[in-house]
Structure formats: structure tokens, C-alpha cells
Amino acid sequence: MAWRDGVLRALRGIALTLVVIFFLFPIFWIFLMSFETNETVLRVPPTLTPHLTLENYVALLSGQLVTATGVMNITFLHNLWNSVLLSTCSVAVALILGVPAAYAFARFRFRGREDIAFTLLSFRFAPPLLVLLPLTLYFQDIGLSNTYVGLIWIYQLICLPLILWIVRGYFEDASPDIEFAYRVDGHSWWRAFTRIAIPLAGPGIAAAGLLSFIFAWNNFVFALVLASADKQPVTVGALAFVTASGIQYGIIAAAIVLSVLPTLALALYAQRWLVEGLSLGAVKG
């Protein structure tokens, strides 16, 4: 039966390899397109030995794109900075508000607790198009339209419910006896929260923060409608590459590669906390 086990392992390895190639091939194709000109990208049939160039990255970093109709100014680096600013501030605000709220929902019993928690979670379920029109009118009335503060506020619809419900689960999994013992020594509940509860739920907080950052970074609709070009993140800024002379596929691919790098670097740096946070509490009992 040893030969049968060997055949099964070989078949399993081949199947996994094919699955990995299937899912990674689009990423490889985008990366290859980022080093090609539009003429090379649109060539039919595609060449197996493409002419690679750095023109797309030079255009993004220099801020000037040469097209058939002339020279176009590119604000990609500013859009990239907007993404960093909006995502970082949104996650920071969501953590400041969401972690204490998650602790309150996990540790305290009060009337309407589950109803309030589910209402906050329902914000994540609602499609963005459902709330865009009233939010646009409301923001115009209070002066938050086309502002960073307004976008960070709206991004709480993405970040806050995610952090609240993920972190709440980790607080519920952690035994409250350690906190009670710490409070018996004369410490306040706030010190027990900051010194005991938060370190115990640290991996879950890190995982929730990272996931919220990725979701905020990838958001498209809110920034498209509620912000002008100087406030828009990189996801919306890529629309500028649909020019009068055609769609600049190569530079769009280069913009995708550069926009993915910050979240990829953050995910690799926080990989240990992310894996630990997502696996903590997976086994009960």
C-alpha cells in the first residue's frame, strides 16, 4: 500500500500546485503588465518575450504621463498619501472607540446590549449605495463634504463594526477571573482593562486592526462620491488613467503594484499577530 500512498501524495501535490498557479497567475500577469507599454499589452496574440520597461513606474513617481494627446499630470503619490492617511486615522479612531465598546459588551450586562451590538454590526451589512445619497446631503449641510474628517467618519462604517465584533469575541474568551483578582488588590476597572484585558486580547486587536486597515484601504465608493481629486485615495485615483487617448493598461498595472505594496508589507510584518489572532479561540473546551 506504500505505492498507493505515494501516488495519492503526488496527486495531492499536483492538485495544490495547479490551484496555486490558478490563483497567483492574475497577480503575476498584472506584475508583468506593469513593465510593459500599452502597445505590448494590447498586442494580439500576446508575446512570450515582452519588451520590459520602467516607463510606467517613472511616470507614476515623476507625476507626468506622456500620451498621444500630450503630457498629463499624475497625482498618484498624493492619492497614495491620502490612502495612508485615511486608512491609518480611520483604524486608529475605530480602535479607540471599538476596543472599550467591545470590552463593555463582553463584560457588562445592560439592557439592549445585544440589540445595540447588532445594530452596529448591521452598518457593515448595509450596501454603500444605500447610504450615499443621505450622507452626501447631510455632509453638505454640516460642512464635512470633501474633507478628510468626513471621510474618516464615513470609514467608521467599515472599521468600527469589524473591530467591535472581532475584539468582543476575544474579550469573551478571556477569563474574567484574572481581572477580578487584579481588582481585588485595589486597582480600578480601567487599570484592569488596560493592564490585563487589552494584553490578553492583543492578538485579536492586532488582527482586527489589520483587517480593518485592508478594508479601509480598498474602499472605493465612499471616496469616489464624497471627495474631490485632492482628497481621493489611490483606489479612486486610478480612474485618471482612463484618458482621452485610451486606457493606460500598463500604468494602471504599475499603480496596482505600488498600491498593494503597503498593505502587503504591513501584513507580512504583522503576520505572527494576524495568525495568532485569527486562530485564537478556534478550539473551545
Side-chain angles (χ1 to χ4, degrees):
M1 296 298 179
W3 64 270
R4 181 179 297 178
D5 295 338
V7 171
L8 290 177
R9 283 196 297 269
L11 293 176
R12 190 181 299 113
I14 294 173
L16 291 176
T17 302
L18 292 176
V19 171
V20 170
I21 293 175
F22 176 79
F23 284 105
L24 291 184
F25 181 76
I27 300 176
F28 169 76
W29 192 257
I30 288 291
F31 182 75
L32 187 63
M33 284 175 55
S34 69
F35 292 99
E36 299 178 354
T37 61
N38 243 28
E39 293 76 13
T40 307
V41 172
L42 297 176
R43 184 178 300 170
V44 180
T47 177
L48 297 178
T49 57
H51 176 67
L52 303 183
T53 177
L54 294 175
E55 292 179 1
N56 298 321
Y57 291 97
V58 171
L60 289 176
L61 297 178
S62 63
Q64 288 187 336
L65 173 63
V66 180
T67 65
T69 58
V71 179
M72 182 181 69
N73 293 326
I74 299 176
T75 60
F76 175 79
L77 291 181
H78 183 69
N79 295 137
L80 190 63
W81 163 249
N82 287 340
S83 292
V84 174
L85 177 65
L86 292 173
S87 301
T88 303
C89 293
S90 299
V91 173
V93 172
L95 287 173
I96 294 174
L97 299 176
V99 173
Y103 181 80
F105 283 120
R107 288 288 184 264
F108 301 112
R109 301 291 183 267
F110 51 90
R111 186 176 182 180
R113 182 185 63 157
E114 296 300 330
D115 294 335
I116 297 174
F118 184 78
T119 300
L120 293 174
L121 182 63
S122 65
F123 294 154
R124 190 72 183 87
F125 298 155
L129 295 177
L130 182 66
V131 297
L132 270 177
L133 178 59
L135 281 177
T136 302
L137 299 176
Y138 179 61
F139 272 31
Q140 290 175 352
D141 291 339
I142 63 177
L144 287 180
S145 181
N146 192 31
T147 62
Y148 288 117
V149 175
L151 287 175
I152 292 171
W153 184 1
I154 291 301
Y155 276 27
Q156 298 309 304
L157 296 175
I158 304 171
C159 301
L160 189 57
L162 188 64
I163 289 177
L164 177 63
W165 275 86
I166 292 179
V167 178
R168 178 189 177 181
Y170 290 100
F171 282 136
E172 290 177 343
D173 288 340
S175 175
D177 295 338
I178 303 176
E179 300 172 38
F180 293 156
Y182 188 75
R183 293 188 62 184
V184 167
D185 290 339
H187 300 287
S188 63
W189 74 267
W190 176 254
R191 288 181 63 87
F193 168 66
T194 56
R195 299 292 182 88
I196 304 298
I198 288 183
L200 289 176
I205 296 174
L210 178 58
L211 292 176
S212 300
F213 183 89
I214 294 174
F215 279 112
W217 183 279
N218 293 333
N219 181 260
F220 176 82
V221 177
F222 287 141
L224 175 65
V225 176
L226 297 175
S228 60
D230 62 328
K231 302 292 192 307
Q232 289 174 344
V234 69
T235 51
V236 183
L239 293 177
F241 305 133
V242 182
T243 64
S245 60
I247 302 175
Q248 305 298 321
Y249 293 101
I251 201 168
I252 289 177
I256 292 173
V257 172
L258 292 180
S259 63
V260 167
L261 288 179
T263 54
L264 178 61
L266 181 61
L268 292 177
Y269 174 76
Q271 182 179 11
R272 179 171 65 87
W273 294 280
L274 179 62
V275 173
E276 184 179 355
L278 293 178
S279 60
L280 185 66
V283 179
K284 300 287 186 179

